[in-house]
Structure formats: C-alpha cells, structure tokens
Amino acid sequence: MFKTKKSCEQPKSHKQHLIQKLLYCTGEMEHFHMYMKDQTFLMQLLEWLLRGVSGVIMVNNPLSGALILTALSIASPWQALLGSLGLLSSTVMAILIREPQAEVSRGEHGYNGMLVALLIGVFSNAGDWYWWLLLPVCLAGAATTFVHSGIAAVLNKCDLPVSVFPFNTVLLLYLACIGTENPYYPSHPALPQGETLSVNSTQLNIPQLVQGAVLGVGQIYACDDLGSTLIILAAVLLFSPVLAFHSLLGSSLGVLAGLSVAVQQDVLYTGLAGFNGALGCMAVGQFLFTLSWRTHVFSIICAFLSSYANIALSNLLAHVELPASSWASTLTISLMILVNERSISTYSIAIGRNSSPEGPLHTPSQCAVANTDSSSV
C-alpha cells in the first residue's frame, strides 16, 4: 500500500509562510466573510460597509474598502465623512426594508449611497463642514436603496446589472430640485467638457497628461488627489491585478478620446476625461465577463464609447446646469451587454458574481485539507 504524493505541501520557510498568509487578503476574502458570520451584528455591519466602499470601483474586498476610505480621508476628511454617511444610510435602509441578506453582505446596497453623497459634496457651493448638507446626504443615500429595489426587478429580467443607475438617478433629481441658487443648498453649475470656455492652449503638458490618466481612477470617487488615487489603485490591485490594469487602460483611453475632440485641458489633467472610460473598460474587461482576448477588445471599445458619450452628455446637460456624472459608462455597459449575443455571451458572468479573474487561491487551511486526501495503489 502506497500513498499518493501530497498535492499541496505546507510552506516550509518563513518567507513562504508569510506569502501564504498575504494571500488571505486578496480576492473576495471569502474566508474572512465566513468568519464574520459568527461575530456580533455591528462587526458584520462594518464588513458590509467596507465591501460597499470597494464596490464603487467594482471590487469586493473589505481590506480594499478600508484602504480606499483611508485614501478619501487623506484627500478630504469632509468628503470621507459625507461618503460614509451616504454608505451607512443606504445600507441601513436596505436592512430595514429586508433586502436579500446576501446582497447586503456584499455591499451591493452601499456603494450607490456613497457615490451620491460624495457628488453632493463635490457640487455643493457652501464649502467644507457645512453641516446642513448632512440631511440631503442621508436622505439621498437612503433613496438609492429604494431606486435600486425598484429597478432591479426590471433590469434583472433583461440580465442587466443595476450598477449605478440609482446613483445617477438620485443625483440628477437632487441637483435639478435644488438648482444652483438655492439659499440653503447652493451648488456649482455643471460645465461642458467639449466646449472651450477660454483660450485653450495647443501645447500639452505631457507629465500632467500622464497624471490625468492616473487620476481618472481616483475620479471614480470624485477624488483628484494623486497620492490618494495611488492608494485607491493599490486597493484595486489587492483585489485583482487584472482589474487594476483595465482601470488604468480605460482611463488612458478616455484621455485619448478627449484629446481627439480637443476637450478642455483641465478636464484632461484632472482625470475627468478618463473615469467613464475606466468604468467601461473594467466592467467589460473583467467585472461582467471572464477574461479573454475577445472581451479585452470589447473592453477597449467600451472605454472609447463611454468616453465619447460622456463628452456628448456633459455638453448637452450643461445647458440645464446638470452633470453627466457616470451616465455614459452606465448606458454604454448596458448596451454592450444587450448586443453580446453573438460575440461575448459565452463569457458572461452571472449577476452578483464579481470574483477576481485570477480565481480562488489556496490558503493554508485549504492545503491542510488537501494533504489529508490520499488513495491506495
């Protein structure tokens, strides 16, 4: 009688042991989620909130969420506070109206609330620490949960993700309601991207252009601070290197799209030209479809379409002083899903599954289980 060779050996060196431990922090951290199920409700809620923070950028990792929240706090503590309140109000509302616990635990009812809170703060003309702004932030965050619940029944029938439809809808309604001269909640008017408001120099600053491509990832959180953006990129990299690559690729393509139609240079340098391209590229390149050369090509197409659509929508909506936000990428991604029947439908990922393309990694506990399996010859 002989036993087969062990399929997965225990790490022998300290370095191997450390690397194996670090793998716990990658991907969805499913083992951590299972551990938290036995903890108190407040601890579970904290995990759900952190996953909601990372869900803004299509990541499902509580450690990534903690890194992103730290980055936002460094860039602007006021914005971090607003985003946290929007996140909390939308998540608590989902619990109160008894949304599926699996969705709540993945943070799916949190990221829309956080986004709308961040953008309310960005468009506010009252400055930081204007405490009256907390009221619309909490109400708007809770409203995204109702919108999410309502449109999910319709979109899921078409195999379309709810995505950030609630955020875009609630933000548009809020800004249209208060206007730009509201005495209690004054806001900045949205400016067009494609129309030249002043003399636009034909000379480009290449380092700032490269920086703008990186900042496009941070602008997903309405953050234009380079250091904070690098932390956000690190958080995405922790979850999935492939997703991090597609975020930078999509943002760079958005900058190229902006250059091709001569948008304002401030839009290029601050990352506003790239964030819709980053969202489109990430969604098609990894989030909604498995990685392949075909989906990679479609992700590039989606990045360009999202960027051009964003320029067009910003020029159109600016006439009524409203922002295009992320309508361009949201609508383009939905279009890409609807027309994929003959192209990339075989690569589709079921709605609600956003695991990293690298696949599950062995953890020390998994290795131990594998070592116990043996067969006789």
Side-chain angles (χ1 to χ4, degrees), residues 151-306:
I151 66 176
V154 178
L155 295 180
N156 288 344
K157 292 180 180 179
C158 305
D159 291 329
L160 292 175
V162 177
S163 184
V164 290
F165 274 106
F167 149 68
N168 285 308
T169 302
V170 174
L171 178 66
L172 204 65
L173 292 175
Y174 168 78
L175 293 177
C177 180
I178 65 171
T180 57
E181 299 180 359
N182 191 287
Y184 304 109
Y185 304 107
S187 63
H188 295 288
L191 301 177
Q193 293 186 4
E195 297 180 7
T196 303
L197 302 181
S198 59
V199 177
N200 208 14
S201 174
T202 57
Q203 295 182 349
L204 292 172
N205 188 317
I206 301 302
Q208 285 191 348
L209 204 62
V210 175
Q211 178 177 301
V214 177
L215 287 176
V217 179
Q219 284 290 1
I220 296 175
Y221 288 88
C223 175
D224 59 359
D225 180 75
L226 181 59
S228 297
T229 297
L230 292 177
I231 297 176
I232 293 173
L233 266 173
V236 180
L237 185 66
L238 182 66
F239 175 73
S240 166
V242 174
L243 193 65
F245 167 75
H246 277 94
S247 66
L248 282 174
L249 174 63
S251 183
S252 301
L253 295 175
V255 172
L256 289 177
L259 280 172
S260 68
V261 293
V263 300
Q264 300 171 58
Q265 290 185 0
D266 286 344
V267 174
L268 299 173
Y269 297 156
T270 58
L272 290 174
F275 76 94
N276 270 279
L279 289 170
C281 193
M282 293 165 70
V284 177
Q286 187 269 317
F287 186 72
L288 297 173
F289 301 93
T290 56
L291 182 65
S292 69
W293 70 267
R294 191 183 297 272
T295 56
H296 182 65
V297 171
F298 271 82
S299 71
I300 294 175
I301 296 173
C302 188
F304 273 117
L305 289 177
S306 298

Side-chain angles (χ1 to χ4, degrees), residues 291-361:
L291 182 65
S292 69
W293 70 267
R294 191 183 297 272
T295 56
H296 182 65
V297 171
F298 271 82
S299 71
I300 294 175
I301 296 173
C302 188
F304 273 117
L305 289 177
S306 298
S307 301
Y308 283 122
N310 178 56
I311 298 170
L313 287 175
S314 68
N315 292 340
L316 180 64
L317 292 175
H319 291 294
V320 289
E321 300 180 331
L322 292 175
S325 57
S326 59
W327 276 112
S329 57
T330 303
L331 296 175
T332 304
I333 293 168
S334 299
L335 177 64
M336 296 292 288
I337 296 174
L338 291 174
V339 300
N340 71 32
E341 290 301 324
R342 298 182 180 180
S343 303
I344 52 177
S345 59
T346 56
Y347 304 99
S348 297
I349 298 176
I351 295 176
R353 289 285 307 280
N354 59 338
S355 58
S356 60
E358 289 78 10
L361 297 172

